[in-house]
């Protein structure tokens, strides 16, 4: 088996071969290190590489297996972690010059769980400054480029993770999602990204104990691989008060399911958002696949009119809580758009935040009622296909001006405000070769049904099988 073949094996199959010793952890790691050396300079996805540490971990993993010790579900699988997530002893910059030389002393919980499952730490993947924005560029490492067309953005904020997956640099990835940061880069890079329900993947450390807008979650090249990683990182943690005390093991099982009779709503613009015609042209035929799978598909959209106010208010509050002290300590060291978000947060009153939370409850209630009539909602992940890597954000969408670096992400962040789990699955390519993802949305805590539906779509279409050319 060639190194490239190893690098593109599905994570579930790779894990199986490692457990039965058809492949060694050292062999798998070396294949990925060779691939990184060949490809990463062209896309800048992995920004810190821990090759020596990884080689030592891989050797230790092989030795444990040779002694007959039990192998974890991710035994020997190399994983690079998002550069906004702490890894003990590994440079973690958050994409900020303030932390350019920062080396944390402990792992974040999601990293800890992945490592405890047997994964090998490969390094760190690129992210925008403090994860702010859905285009991966920062003053420490520069921009991450799209593996399918290197002059385009890989999306963000988990753009380095998505690009590394698409390019065969790692089999699995973790990321975070406030306004689309797992879904948008998955859409741009032709991979799968899942934003779970709040509490499904507990976050620790955390700034605010009940915060539910930003979640962490899995990415992979297939839906089944995403489900495998979810089975590792999900589950209760007593330090996080909103973490769900539900078993995660079912996610690692078979996702095969008959979708006949499923009630599916399709909203091409989520209530009137501007959508690039190139995106619509890809998604319209993709949606019909659900009808071919036996689903009852009809046009429908929940009332998301208040989602913009809810998201922007709560995001501003969270950014002020998390970064205002840092901005005061290091004036002029943050990108202006991020500083503006923090400043907006400072203007919010208790009444503003209470109103946003009240309106969010109305959104959640409306979605619950919507999902008594439908099992799933289909929509665009992103309102645009990948755009030039030099841009901070697209200034127009379908002829309508975008007033800031958030507005073009409304198709993703409107769903964030509802608390519903949502997944981006490859849905095809534009005429000029830009990937487009389909967003599948399920009721709160409905991840298993969501994964099964996405798996069926993926198996019926095979869009995710198309690889970038280097």
């Amino acid at each position: 088996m060639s190194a490239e073949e190893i690098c593109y094996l599905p994570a579930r199959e790779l894990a199986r071969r490692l457990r039965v010793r058809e492949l060694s952890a050292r062999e798998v790691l070396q294949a990925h290190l060779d691939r990184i050396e060949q490809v990463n300079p062209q896309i800048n996805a992995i920004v810190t590489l821990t090759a020596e540490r990884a080689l030592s971990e891989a050797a230790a993993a092989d030795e444990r297996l040779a002694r007959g010790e039990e192998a974890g579900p991710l035994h020997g699988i190399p994983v690079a972690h998002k550069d906004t997530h702490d890894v003990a002893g590994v440079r973690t910059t958050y994409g900020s010059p303030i932390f350019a030389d920062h080396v944390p002393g402990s792992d974040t919980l999601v990293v800890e769980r992945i490592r405890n499952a047997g994964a090998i730490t490969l390094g760190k993947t690129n992210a925008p400054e403090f994860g702010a924005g859905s285009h991966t560029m920062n003053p420490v490492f520069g921009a991450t480029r799209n593996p399918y067309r290197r002059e385009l953005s890989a999306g963000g904020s988990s753009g380095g993770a998505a690009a590394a997956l698409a390019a065969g640099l790692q089999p699995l990835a973790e990321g975070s999602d406030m306004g689309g940061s797992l879904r948008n880069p998955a859409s741009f890079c032709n991979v799968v990204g899942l934003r779970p329900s709040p509490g499904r993947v507990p976050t620790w450390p955390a700034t605010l104990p009940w915060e539910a807008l930003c979640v962490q979650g899995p990415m992979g090249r297939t839906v089944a691989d995403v489900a495998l990683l979810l089975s590792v990182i999900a589950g209760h943690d007593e330090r996080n008060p909103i973490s769900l005390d539900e078993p995660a093991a079912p996610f690692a099982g078979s996702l095969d399911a008959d979708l006949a009779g499923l009630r599916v709503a399709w909203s091409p613009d989520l209530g009137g958002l501007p959508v690039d015609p190139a995106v619509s042209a890809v998604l319209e035929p993709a949606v019909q696949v659900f009808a071919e799978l036996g689903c009852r598909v009809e046009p429908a959209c929940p009332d998301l009119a208040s989602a913009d106010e809810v998201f922007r208010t709560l995001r501003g509050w969270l950014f002020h809580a998390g970064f205002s002290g840092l901005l005061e300590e290091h004036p002029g060291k943050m990108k202006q758009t991020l500083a503006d978000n923090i400043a907006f947060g400072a203007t919010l009153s208790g009444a503003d935040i209470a109103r946003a939370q009240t309106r969010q409850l109305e959104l959640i209630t409306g979605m619950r009622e919507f999902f008594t009539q439908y099992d799933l909602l289909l929509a665009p992940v992103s309102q645009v296909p990948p755009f030039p890597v030099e841009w901070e954000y697209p200034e127009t969408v379908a002829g309508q001006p975008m007033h800031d670096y958030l507005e073009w992400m409304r198709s993703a962040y409107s769903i964030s405000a509802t608390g519903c789990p949502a997944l981006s699955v490859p849905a095809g390519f534009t005429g000029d070769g830009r990937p487009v993802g389909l967003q599948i949305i399920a009721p709160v805590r409905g991840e298993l049904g969501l994964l099964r539906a996405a798996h069926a779509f993926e198996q019926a279409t095979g869009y995710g099988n198309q690889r970038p050319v280097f």
Side-chain angles (χ1 to χ4, degrees):
M1 179 175 289
S2 70
E4 184 171 344
E5 288 173 328
I6 291 174
C7 290
Y8 276 113
L9 277 176
R12 288 203 186 202
E13 175 61 16
L14 186 59
R16 185 195 69 78
R17 295 192 186 201
L18 282 159
R19 283 194 302 273
V20 301
R21 300 173 69 180
E22 290 181 12
L23 291 170
S24 70
R26 279 172 282 202
E27 182 180 5
V28 169
L29 175 62
Q30 192 59 57
H32 284 86
L33 290 175
D34 291 345
R35 180 75 176 172
I36 290 166
E37 182 179 12
Q38 173 197 356
V39 169
N40 193 58
Q42 301 177 56
I43 59 173
N44 192 36
I46 294 179
V47 290
T48 297
L49 183 65
T50 56
E52 289 186 12
R53 169 175 168 162
L55 287 165
S56 176
E57 290 182 1
D62 286 338
E63 290 164 6
R64 287 195 301 272
L65 201 61
R67 291 194 299 267
E69 296 182 19
E70 185 176 351
L74 302 184
H75 166 81
I77 291 182
V79 176
H81 301 284
K82 188 175 180 179
D83 202 32
T84 52
H85 296 165
D86 287 354
V87 177
V90 178
R91 182 190 185 198
T92 301
T93 74
Y94 318 121
S96 167
I98 300 169
F99 292 96
D101 300 312
H102 173 61
V103 178
S106 60
D107 295 336
T108 60
L109 180 58
V110 69
V111 171
E112 176 186 305
R113 287 183 168 180
I114 290 171
R115 288 181 49 74
N116 287 345
I120 307 297
T121 296
L122 191 56
K124 306 304 294 291
T125 58
N126 205 18
E129 191 172 352
F130 296 110
S134 211
H135 173 35
T136 297
M137 56 186 298
N138 63 65
V140 181
F141 298 114
T144 295
R145 295 176 177 270
N146 195 302
Y148 288 88
R149 286 183 49 182
R150 260 78 88 191
E151 77 277 15
L152 301 178
S153 168
S157 62
S158 307
L165 284 167
L169 310 188
Q170 62 176 351
L172 292 170
E174 43 83 359
S176 55
D177 187 310
M178 179 180 282
S181 290
L182 283 158
R183 292 162 287 158
N184 275 333
S187 176
F188 277 22
C189 292
N190 201 47
V191 297
V192 182
L194 170 67
R195 175 190 166 90
S197 303
R200 177 68 69 193
V201 178
T203 301
W204 187 261
T207 303
L208 299 173
W210 301 100
E211 197 276 301
L213 196 60
C214 185
V215 302
Q216 294 174 346
M219 304 181 82
R221 287 190 291 266
T222 71
V223 176
D225 286 354
V226 164
L228 171 65
L229 185 53
L230 183 63
S231 75
V232 167
I233 61 178
H236 180 67
D237 186 278
E238 62 183 11
R239 294 168 294 183
N240 186 306
I242 68 168
S243 67
L244 302 180
D245 193 8
E246 298 177 5
F251 299 120
S254 172
L255 296 179
D256 293 339
D258 184 358
L259 303 192
L262 211 64
R263 303 165 301 171
V264 176
W266 159 233
S267 179
D269 58 10
L270 282 179
L273 300 180
V275 178
D276 189 301
V279 171
S280 301
V282 172
L283 294 185
E284 288 286 355
V287 166
Q288 295 311 307
V289 172
F290 283 87
E292 295 165 8
L293 290 169
C295 301
R296 190 185 73 203
V297 181
E298 59 186 52
C301 183
D303 182 0
L304 298 170
S306 61
D308 199 63
E309 177 191 353
V310 168
F311 178 80
R312 286 176 176 268
T313 300
L314 296 182
R315 184 180 186 275
W317 174 45
L318 295 171
F319 271 53
H320 183 262
F323 302 117
S324 59
L326 200 61
L327 182 60
E328 290 175 8
E329 187 179 349
H330 301 277
K333 292 290 184 70
M334 290 187 185
K335 66 179 180 180
Q336 190 57 49
T337 45
L338 178 55
D340 290 345
N341 293 156
I342 297 166
F344 167 68
T347 69
L348 296 170
S349 66
D352 293 327
I353 296 164
R355 172 182 165 84
Q357 291 188 327
T358 299
R359 301 209 69 181
Q360 186 178 34
L361 178 59
E362 295 170 357
L363 266 181
I364 292 169
T365 302
M367 290 299 283
R368 187 171 65 246
E369 293 173 354
F370 181 82
F371 281 122
T372 63
Q373 302 174 63
Y374 299 99
D375 299 298
L376 298 171
L377 169 63
L378 309 180
V381 176
S382 176
Q383 294 156 242
V384 296
F387 51 81
V389 72
E390 295 83 9
W391 297 3
E392 183 177 3
Y393 62 93
E395 296 184 355
T396 61
V397 175
Q400 294 191 29
M402 300 291 104
H403 299 95
D404 59 26
Y405 79 133
L406 297 176
E407 193 169 0
W408 70 275
M409 300 158 48
R410 290 175 68 191
S411 55
Y413 78 58
S414 294
I415 301 304
S416 299
T418 70
C420 291
L423 177 145
S424 175
V425 63
F429 292 79
T430 63
D432 58 357
R434 291 178 289 173
V436 174
L438 174 67
Q439 184 169 205
I440 309 177
I441 303 143
V444 171
R445 304 188 183 182
E447 282 88 347
L448 191 54
L450 171 58
L451 289 162
R452 286 171 173 165
H455 175 71
F457 173 82
E458 174 188 70
Q459 295 300 299
T461 59
Y463 296 127
N465 295 330
Q466 184 167 328
R467 305 292 179 220
V469 177
F470 288 94

